Amino acid sequence: MTPSDDRENAGTSERLATVAEQFAARVAASPRNTAVSHGGRSLTYAEVGSRADALARRLRSLQAGPAAPVAVLVERGLELPGALLGILGAGRACLPLDQGNPPGRLAQLLGRARPGAVVAQRSLAPRLPPQPAPVFWLDDANAAPPGAPADPPPDATADLPPGDSANPPPAAAGGSPAAAAGSPACVLILPDGNRLPQAVAVDHRAVGACFAAIDRDLLPVAAGTRLVAVDRGCELAAIELLWALSRGCCAVLDADPAAGGPAPRQPAAAGPGTGRRAAAQGAAHGSDISEMGEKGEMGFSLFYFGNYAAGEAADHYRLVLEGAKFADRHGFEAIWTPERHFHEFGGLYPNPSVLSAAIAATTERLQIRAGSVVLPLHDPLRVAEEWALVDNLSGGRTGVSFASGWHANDFVLNPAAYQDRHEIMRRGIATVRRLWRGEALRLPGGAGGQVEVRIFPRPVQQELPIWVTAAGSPATFRLAGELGAGVLTHLLGQDAGDVAAKIQVYREAWRQAGHAPDGGRVTVMLHTFVGPSLGAVHAAVRGPLSAYLKTSFGLLRSLAESVGVHGDPAAMAPGELDLLVSRAYERYVAAGAGLIGTPDSCAETLLRLRQMGVDEVACLIDFGVAADQVLASLAHLDELRRRTAPAGLPGPGAGVIHRQITAPLARRLAAEPALAARLGGLGELLAGNAAALAGRF
């Protein structure tokens, strides 16, 4: 079969050879050849064909109109090819869904596309939002969908045994009507700026043209080879997978760790699936912080706690929103915004839930976290309500670190809570968790009686991912472990060895409380500015960071003690204070207590943090450096982030002749042409097209 055989002449009755028919021809020609490989297991073409035919028979019972697509929520494994081909074999268009999306995002996508049915695996059931379309469970090979007749209606091929597609009739494999060139083959959900995502139908003619374009470059060398065609974060990869199977290749369903963008992991049945993002689904016993991030991979987030006096507030909020967009595009894990009241130090952020709502509207994948909510200042009922709203606005991307509070003046909002603030925080966390799960509370109402209340809107996530903010007390680290929460801390005035010991206290408390083995999540906030040279970095940072430290005598006192000065900074003369700040700055930077330097010089700090047991660095970037300078520096921070990601492009001779070009990989190839050499035989081709590809995203 040549590419010209797959085309239909416009304006004639000549019909198109569908993807299902092309695959059926491969089954007939080479039934024992390996079609798909994943995680050390594989299926032959005959086995994939059998599964596709079984699903196609079940889908013929579908009552929805033929124009309605069928959504696919299936793990990127051996079941995916059969699901896609079964839908096409039934004469339907497939709508691939990225299972890494949180339930709220999936609900949004399904609402836009209005599928006639959903093909899913039961392991992903917790992620599937309520919706009217029937669900066909791949796990139930002989089960009918809800509301469907016990047996599918008879048709011309109802008695064909599974996999008998060697001689498909003049209809698509499985007995469905032949597809017209203009009928949809698949539906893709594409972002549309800041507006709602758009459902775009791709017809069989367009798929054929796409296949022909790939044929021109790859078909002469592709047949019978192994093909890496799928990146787990990209719905578009389904088309490449179908091309591989229609051309007789072995499709190796592996992620592309070098792509640099977010790569969501497969979700657990009762817990979150996150990649570099926090949990979108919690386990039954607290937020499953242990599932966050890839083991051995350092998470990178942006953190904000700006000094109001350092510049115009509008400029700082531009830094927050533009920084969030950058982090969202480049695969950072999260963005953290704090709560601080009545002081220029941190006073830009009196309510993290309000700012988080704005961030939710301009991002798609980035986790949105509070660092922190001072829980004793608030009614837990109100906290749960506000963050449930943000969870809905973000599609299930929220997380909260709770703090007991440090500044007595903040407690004008709730003076009675100050003395017992640590215990109030503990009780409040338990209350927020109960409300988040849908439990009701009985509380006094205005009329004097007891009122039963639940929070609305219902949050997207079953569990709220929770951290506890620890300023340095081992007891707070222990509490976070006991609660099954993450811990958010810093290195300001804390010796690295002491922090490492406190992390061990946290891990031990986690284990003793019976949470998931080897779990927990340690996030460390670091002042961050990464640039091209040390001279440029210090020129940009020294003045603003020194002024920033002067506005917080609490932080400065900790740093003063670390350099042997035990006086009260507030009582020092201006000259003495300047000398103290200068010594503190040199000690802070030299000790690697921040990510202040070049990608090369900061790499050692990250290695030390990893050895301490740190899982994530929260990069505090708004300490007074001009917003434009900070935004420009993020490219260097991203370079540092990418250096910590696991490497792993296959080298020449690995048998892989093509790898999907995602947008982040295209950008990286454009910036680093030498990287293309590691892609094997197509390195020169990919490098030559990388710049053009990068510019399209």
Side-chain angles (χ1 to χ4, degrees), residues 116-167:
V118 178
V119 171
Q121 288 172 301
R122 290 196 178 276
S123 61
L124 300 179
R127 309 185 68 75
L128 189 62
Q131 38 80 44
V135 179
F136 290 74
W137 299 111
L138 280 183
D139 315 69
D140 303 337
N142 300 313
D151 297 307
D155 61 80
T157 59
D159 295 327
L160 285 176
D164 187 7
S165 52
N167 298 293

Side-chain angles (χ1 to χ4, degrees), residues 494-595:
Q494 293 192 84
D495 179 81
D498 290 341
V499 174
K502 294 168 188 174
I503 291 174
Q504 291 306 309
V505 169
Y506 166 69
R507 304 285 188 195
E508 182 60 28
W510 178 284
R511 287 190 290 269
Q512 290 182 356
H515 302 300
D518 301 321
R521 182 76 170 170
V522 177
T523 302
V524 171
M525 184 276 290
L526 299 175
H527 286 81
T528 299
F529 188 93
V530 182
S533 69
L534 289 175
V537 168
H538 291 303
V541 168
R542 182 183 292 274
L545 182 56
S546 298
Y548 178 87
L549 294 174
K550 287 181 182 179
T551 64
S552 175
F553 287 123
L555 293 179
L556 193 55
R557 187 177 295 109
S558 297
L559 286 171
E561 293 175 355
S562 73
V563 296
V565 177
H566 299 288
D568 183 0
M572 291 181 177
E576 293 178 317
L577 183 60
D578 288 341
L579 180 60
L580 171 61
V581 169
S582 177
R583 291 179 61 190
Y585 175 86
E586 295 296 341
R587 174 66 181 269
Y588 184 67
V589 174
L595 289 178

Side-chain angles (χ1 to χ4, degrees), residues 308-322:
Y308 182 80
E312 295 295 331
D315 200 44
H316 280 290
Y317 295 130
R318 182 173 74 88
L319 177 58
V320 173
L321 297 176
E322 292 300 319

